[in-house]
Amino acid sequence: MKLHTLLTHLPFVKQMNGEDNPDILAIEQDTRKVKEGTLFICIEGSRFDGHEFAHEAIEKGAVAILSNRKLAVNVPNIIVPDTNRAMAILADAFYQHPTHELFLVGITGTNGKTSVSHLVDHIFRAANKKTGLIGTLYSKFGNKTTETKNTTPDSLTLQKTFRQMLYEHVEAVSMEVSSHALVQGRVRGCDFDIAVFTNLTQDHLDYHKTMEEYKKAKSLLFSQLGNTYYENRKKYAVLNADDSTTEEYMKMTSAHIITYGMKNACDVRAENVNFTGQGTTFHLITPKGNRQVTTKLIGIFNVYNVLAAVSVGLAAGINIDTMINSLSSFAGVPGRFELVQAGQKFPVIVDYAHTPDSLENVLKTVTSLPHSRIFVVVGCGGDRDHGKRPLMARIACTYASDAIFTSDNPRSEDPMAILNDMEKGVSGLSYKVIPDRKEAIHYAIEQANDGDVVLIAGKGHETYQIIGDKVIDFDDRQIAKKCITEKYKKFQTTKRNTDFDQ
């Protein structure tokens, strides 16, 4: 595509220096990816300013530079008021508006985004749809799985990924949409067919500052659904009727609304919920008929996740029996209430719960399991919302008989300062502080006996720990397995020695 043709998609250009009209073969904001024929976009980030790398981009083959100020370069320099906004527009145009051809589902909310996106993906595949998935764990379509740096990638990466999905004949995509992404405009240009709201509880206040601003950020997904009622492409907002925020989000969208829940009046409802050691059953009530649901997932929060996914399926026109049959085979998501098995006779559960609400939900589920003692290993991330630290500590002490506070991803903060913040919420309560996360996991497993439950919370699927500016290998699941194996190996050795003495 010629540069001047591409630029016609912008409402206006503040200034353009240079009259050349080169072929644009690629668009990049990262100099490491620049090749011959690239339009390089200068983005001002929290750590780096792309304007400082313009000359490096030209040396690598960039034939034009898009910036928000004039640069001394020998290729066309297009100056716009906001390079982030311009990038979203140009990326959508360059990759030929891929979401106009895809059925796109966006999921936002504090908790449940990953599980709902995977459930939706599972339901679509059961309906013989070729699917794509974008979120916290990875970007996945066809036989390709790519690691993602953010829950929701930037607008350029998204549009490129969507076009690649179309090359692989993908029809439906489910993606997580974070509050950061909405505020930063990463999903501008994404033509969502369905927007899902899971819940809103305290998180990310280090970024949004107040719950009101956090709520507004999430609302952008629904206000951007459009203001028309095309019969051939209806837009839907799928909202949690049991969350008070839903009432506000209903006012912010013109889309058709489907509500789900268990407490308040809604369209898709679960009744007679029953938990077993093997999963959950409940009676599903929908406008398209009622069914009995059996799933391997455990916990009230997972019932909500299933209801959200079923609501999406109904909006997408998927047969209700196809959905119900598929739910029984859904095995879960890595790091979400994941059982670690290494031969022990007590459950060891790893979960991503890193907010007060998600930790409380998971611990409530744990208390519903047969148990004598409940051990919870939990920490809080550094350089993040300080206000949730004492809340999470109190929740841990409230629901667990043995709360163990440890490091999560301390980042640039002193781990002990984070733990001190946690302790402010549990004055007078019983708990143990073990700063080293590996030692904390080892202690919990070593102390646990048959009939107890161990929950390791906060990191879930993550395979690393961030300490200072270093990223070290660390997987709660692998550490737990090793600790269990060592415990039983020591037990067997002690037993053999005892037998020998007798």
Side-chain angles (χ1 to χ4, degrees):
M1 185 182 293
K2 289 289 187 179
L3 174 63
H4 291 176
T5 303
L6 182 60
L7 294 179
T8 61
H9 293 275
L10 295 176
F12 65 89
V13 170
K14 189 175 180 181
Q15 184 179 342
M16 183 165 174
N17 300 315
E19 297 181 359
D20 289 350
N21 187 23
D23 285 317
I24 302 300
L25 306 178
I27 300 177
E28 300 293 351
Q29 60 164 327
D30 185 340
T31 52
R32 293 170 297 183
K33 298 178 182 179
V34 170
K35 60 185 179 182
E36 194 66 37
T38 295
L39 166 63
F40 181 71
I41 300 180
C42 303
I43 299 294
E44 293 183 4
S46 57
R47 296 177 60 193
F48 302 105
D49 183 354
H51 293 80
E52 298 174 4
F53 299 92
H55 289 284
E56 180 184 335
I58 293 169
E59 289 173 6
K60 291 186 173 183
V63 294
I65 304 292
L66 186 83
S67 61
N68 62 16
R69 60 178 183 266
K70 185 177 180 180
L71 298 174
V73 294
N74 59 357
V75 299
N77 179 200
I78 307 97
I79 303 168
V80 296
D82 183 344
T83 53
N84 246 315
R85 185 176 290 272
M87 181 170 73
I89 297 169
L90 296 178
D92 182 51
F94 183 79
Y95 290 107
Q96 300 175 313
H97 318 292
T99 57
H100 294 189
E101 303 174 56
L102 292 166
F103 190 91
L104 185 60
V105 180
I107 300 113
T108 198
T110 307
N111 304 310
K113 295 186 296 295
T114 302
S115 293
V116 173
S117 65
H118 280 74
L119 279 160
V120 168
D121 180 79
H122 189 74
I123 286 172
F124 280 163
R125 283 189 284 112
N128 296 317
K129 303 285 186 185
K130 196 157 187 181
T131 65
L133 188 66
I134 300 173
T136 305
L137 300 182
Y138 38 60
S139 168
K140 185 177 182 181
F141 59 96
N143 297 318
K144 184 178 181 181
T145 300
T146 306
E147 183 180 348
T148 50
K149 293 181 180 179
N150 298 309
T151 296
T152 311
D154 62 81
S155 60
L156 180 59
T157 302
L158 274 177
Q159 297 301 334
K160 183 177 182 179
T161 301
F162 290 142
R163 178 48 60 185
Q164 290 171 339
M165 287 180 173
L166 285 171
Y167 289 148
E168 295 292 330
H169 308 292
V170 167
E171 301 167 82
V173 180
S174 53
M175 64 176 287
E176 300 178 50
V177 184
S178 69
S179 55
H180 291 68
L182 287 161
V183 170
Q184 294 169 10
R186 294 185 218 159
V187 293
R188 288 174 186 150
C190 295
D191 187 10
F192 290 101
D193 294 280
I194 301 175
V196 182
F197 170 59
T198 59
N199 49 62
L200 190 81
T201 60
Q202 183 173 332
D203 198 16
H204 302 306
L205 296 193
D206 54 303
Y207 182 81
H208 298 290
K209 306 306 179 188
T210 68
M211 283 298 293
E212 191 60 32
E213 288 302 311
Y214 182 38
K215 185 196 301 181
K216 285 180 183 177
K218 297 289 188 187
S219 76
L220 292 173
L221 182 61
F222 304 96
S223 61
Q224 293 171 7
L225 267 178
N227 198 45
T228 55
Y229 297 110
Y230 292 119
E231 282 303 306
N232 61 340
R233 191 161 187 181
K234 294 178 180 178
K235 305 290 186 180
Y236 288 90
V238 171
L239 306 171
N240 182 350
D242 294 341
D243 192 296
S244 59
T245 309
T246 281
E247 189 174 342
E248 292 185 44
Y249 289 177
M250 287 172 122
K251 298 173 184 176
M252 293 179 178
T253 182
S254 296
H256 301 290
I257 292 172
I258 298 178
T259 55
Y260 66 92
M262 282 180 270
K263 301 173 185 175
N264 297 324
C266 55
D267 303 308
V268 179
R269 185 179 185 84
E271 293 183 349
N272 303 322
V273 179
N274 182 48
F275 302 119
T276 69
Q278 286 70 48
T280 305
T281 62
F282 62 87
H283 191 58
L284 175 69
I285 299 172
T286 83
K288 296 290 186 180
N290 306 335
R291 298 290 189 276
Q292 189 68 15
V293 174
T294 300
T295 172
K296 296 175 184 176
L297 304 179
I298 299 174
I300 286 292
F301 59 95
N302 270 320
V303 175
Y304 277 100
N305 293 337
V306 169
L307 291 174
V310 168
S311 299
V312 169
L314 290 172
I318 296 175
N319 179 273
I320 188 169
D321 290 316
T322 298
M323 289 193 283
I324 301 309
N325 290 335
S326 72
L327 290 171
S328 63
S329 63
F330 183 74
V333 180
R336 271 60 175 181
F337 212 82
E338 184 175 350
L339 289 169
V340 176
Q341 292 291 352
Q344 82 280 12
K345 294 182 180 179
F346 54 90
V348 175
I349 301 161
V350 170
D351 194 89
Y352 190 52
H354 62 286
T355 67
D357 183 66
S358 60
L359 181 63
E360 184 172 22
N361 284 334
V362 171
L363 278 169
K364 280 182 177 179
T365 300
V366 169
T367 60
S368 71
L369 301 174
H371 65 273
S372 296
R373 297 165 69 186
I374 294 175
F375 294 83
V376 59
V377 178
V378 63
C380 294
D383 302 333
R384 297 294 186 267
D385 183 359
H386 289 216
K388 70 182 184 182
R389 295 172 182 175
L391 301 178
M392 290 183 68
R394 178 164 286 276
I395 288 166
C397 288
T398 299
Y399 290 95
S401 58
D402 296 79
I404 303 151
F405 302 154
T406 189
S407 293
D408 192 308
N409 291 319
R411 298 182 178 88
S412 69
E413 285 194 70
D414 178 356
M416 287 308 302
I418 298 172
L419 291 166
N420 288 340
D421 283 344
M422 292 181 70
E423 288 186 273
K424 292 174 184 176
V426 290
S427 177
L429 300 179
S430 175
Y431 60 90
K432 193 172 186 67
V433 175
I434 304 178
D436 186 282
R437 191 173 182 89
K438 184 176 180 180
E439 288 182 17
I441 294 171
H442 182 272
Y443 173 83
I445 289 171
E446 191 68 23
Q447 294 296 310
N449 295 311
D450 296 359
D452 296 337
V453 181
V454 175
L455 171 66
I456 305 168
K459 290 172 59 59
H461 64 280
E462 293 179 352
T463 57
Y464 57 85
Q465 190 172 28
I466 305 172
I467 301 175
D469 59 357
K470 294 180 180 178
V471 179
I472 63 172
D473 291 337
F474 198 101
D475 188 325
D476 283 352
R477 297 161 296 186
Q478 295 303 318
I479 298 294
K481 279 185 180 179
K482 186 176 180 181
C483 291
I484 294 165
T485 302
E486 289 175 354
K487 173 175 180 165
Y488 280 89
K489 185 176 180 181
K490 183 169 68 176
F491 172 78
Q492 292 297 334
T493 301
T494 304
K495 187 175 185 302
R496 282 196 299 270
N497 290 340
T498 303
D499 292 342
F500 180 78
D501 290 341
Q502 289 176 346

